[in-house]
Amino acid sequence: MLAFLQFTIILDFMILSPLGAFLMPALKINPHQFGLVVSGYAFSAGISGFLAAGFADKFDRKKLLLFFYSGFILGTILCASAPTYEFLLMARIITGIFGGVIGSIIFAIITDLFPFQKRGQVMGFIQTAFASSQVMGIPLGLYFSTIWGWHAPFVMIVLVAAVAGIFIVIYLKPIDGHLKLNIERKASRHLIETITTPRYLQAFATTALLSTGGFMLMPFGSAFTVHNMGIPIAKLPLIYMVTGCCAILIGPLVGKASDRFGKFNTFIFGSALSIIMVLIYTRMGVTPLPLVMLVNVVLFVGIFSRMIPSQALISAIPEPKSRGSFMSVSSSLQQISGGVASALAGFIVVENIDGSLLRFDVLGDCVIGATLITLVLMYFIHKKIPER
């Protein structure tokens, strides 16, 4: 159920990247404005996550999840009816206010219910939602966009999210064990305690950098593939489908590997592979379709090999009584840093007359720098958590 719910949240964010090739000409906006649409969601999600942190451990996690998921569906309905750029930007901000908190609630639930020794495998399974959005959601969204316009994918997300919400209401049991551990205190004090706990601060800094690469490269991925690599726009769904099918297999395997060989060792492998693939990907010109697919698949192996073990490692840091608050602040920082990264990417990338993107290689260099810094920070977190 959590993976299915996560699928709708990820798809809502992921769909913007391939829709860039439709949105920019339809709304007559430039890369900088498109970057603001992406970062608007991220900034609002970050602020909302920070404000919700004080309350995150004061309610049954199921009730909290349903409240924010209802708001997320409302925001997506507004996106589906947006007539102008300004309205779409407002709708993305509203969607971010609610949607940005849901991921932290899901990870708090996972940490509540599953032991650390199996958490890598569980995180790997939950991340199949990311891959499923590639296989089913994005190709279907693009297909609907070619028929009914760029609003259609958001209508699809609303329908799927409504089904997910019904399943959560009916089948998910209350998750309130943390309420028995909590000492009653004001929300503001709970938040202050969370953000001032010394061993949490390093984890927050690491989390903030982890999402930099995705927010910098992903929003412009479809435009770069079409205009720089020379791939017809009609072939985009095929690329996402092939990449997603492979990622569905990769996620659980990476999760099991992180539990078996060590979460930090898996993170090192993912960081090294990501650096190599980002160097290649951001410097590619006109490329045959099979090679584009191969590069995307290997790049996702690197991404998953960083994402899954890092989430499992960081989940071991907070105490049960402050787990929800920690996850909310962590998610908030991740979203805000991602918003900054997306906005910066919009300033760095320049659109040529023919639609091709210039200085994409500079974005790649920024992502590599953030990856190296994150690797160092993750080493110190690893030293604090005995994995055996």
Side-chain angles (χ1 to χ4, degrees):
M1 285 188 290
L2 292 178
F4 189 57
L5 187 147
Q6 184 83 327
F7 165 78
T8 60
I9 301 298
I10 293 174
L11 178 59
D12 181 77
F13 170 72
M14 290 282 292
I15 197 69
L16 268 184
S17 173
L19 279 183
F22 296 88
L23 264 174
M24 286 195 278
L27 296 178
K28 297 181 175 59
I29 59 176
N30 56 42
H32 170 57
Q33 290 173 305
F34 182 64
L36 287 179
V37 172
V38 179
S39 61
Y41 178 102
F43 282 127
S44 63
I47 295 170
S48 173
F50 190 79
L51 295 176
F55 302 92
D57 295 300
K58 297 210 169 275
F59 298 96
D60 170 12
R61 300 209 199 280
K62 176 183 175 178
K63 292 179 181 177
L64 202 64
L65 184 65
L66 286 171
F67 170 76
F68 282 101
Y69 199 53
S70 300
F72 162 77
I73 294 175
L74 173 63
T76 309
I77 291 172
L78 293 175
C79 292
S81 58
T84 63
Y85 164 71
E86 291 76 14
F87 193 98
L88 178 63
L89 181 60
M90 179 202 69
R92 293 308 293 166
I93 290 172
I94 293 172
T95 308
I97 288 172
F98 293 95
V101 181
I102 294 171
S104 64
I105 300 173
I106 289 174
F107 287 124
I109 291 172
I110 292 170
T111 311
D112 281 346
L113 301 181
F114 297 95
F116 180 72
Q117 290 76 11
K118 292 185 178 292
R119 218 168 281 163
Q121 186 174 347
V122 175
M123 295 289 188
F125 183 82
I126 293 294
Q127 289 304 333
T128 58
F130 184 90
S132 299
S133 71
Q134 297 268 104
V135 175
M136 296 176 288
I138 292 178
L140 278 175
L142 289 173
Y143 176 71
F144 293 151
S145 295
T146 58
I147 300 175
W148 294 301
W150 63 266
H151 295 88
F154 293 108
V155 176
M156 177 188 72
I157 292 170
V158 169
L159 296 175
V160 176
V163 175
I166 291 170
F167 269 80
I168 294 293
V169 170
I170 297 173
Y171 294 108
L172 186 66
K173 295 179 181 180
I175 301 170
D176 54 7
H178 60 286
L179 297 178
K180 301 180 181 74
L181 303 173
N182 251 352
I183 301 171
E184 195 64 37
R185 53 182 176 269
K186 291 182 179 179
S188 57
R189 185 176 176 186
H190 187 41
L191 172 60
I192 291 170
E193 283 186 15
T194 302
I195 61 177
T196 55
T197 301
R199 62 195 181 89
Y200 290 178
L201 297 179
Q202 191 174 354
F204 291 150
T206 307
T207 302
L209 279 173
L210 276 169
S211 62
T212 303
F215 275 95
M216 276 194 154
L217 295 180
M218 243 178 251
F220 303 100
S222 64
F224 182 76
T225 301
V226 171
H227 299 297
N228 290 62
M229 295 185 181
I231 303 299
I233 198 168
K235 297 292 184 183
L236 281 180
L238 180 62
I239 294 174
Y240 285 105
M241 185 172 290
V242 170
T243 306
C245 283
C246 295
I248 285 176
L249 300 174
I250 292 165
L253 290 175
V254 170
K256 290 180 180 179
S258 68
D259 287 336
R260 182 175 180 182
F261 301 111
K263 295 169 179 62
F264 182 66
N265 291 336
T266 307
F267 185 82
I268 293 174
F269 166 78
S271 298
L273 184 60
S274 295
I275 288 171
I276 294 169
M277 295 314 300
V278 167
L279 273 172
I280 295 171
Y281 171 69
T282 56
R283 287 160 173 79
M284 292 175 73
V286 176
T287 310
L289 181 61
L291 184 56
V292 172
M293 291 178 179
L294 178 62
V295 169
N296 273 273
V297 168
V298 180
L299 180 59
F300 269 93
V301 173
I303 291 171
F304 272 36
S305 297
R306 293 179 72 236
M307 184 188 306
I308 292 168
S310 65
Q311 289 171 343
L313 268 175
I314 290 174
S315 72
I317 292 175
E319 297 176 5
K321 63 182 181 180
S322 59
R323 196 168 280 155
S325 179
F326 173 90
M327 294 295 183
S328 291
V329 173
S330 182
S331 175
S332 171
L333 291 172
Q334 194 173 35
Q335 296 283 359
I336 291 173
S337 66
V340 172
S342 180
L344 286 175
F347 284 110
I348 294 172
V349 172
V350 178
E351 188 176 24
N352 220 337
I353 299 174
D354 60 356
S356 62
L357 301 180
L358 303 176
R359 300 197 292 200
F360 205 65
D361 56 330
V362 177
L363 278 187
D365 295 338
C366 293
V367 172
I368 289 169
T371 302
L372 291 171
I373 295 171
T374 307
L375 182 60
V376 175
L377 292 173
M378 193 60 73
Y379 168 78
F380 290 108
I381 290 176
H382 158 70
K383 297 299 286 184
K384 295 177 181 178
I385 303 169
E387 292 197 40
R388 56 184 177 275

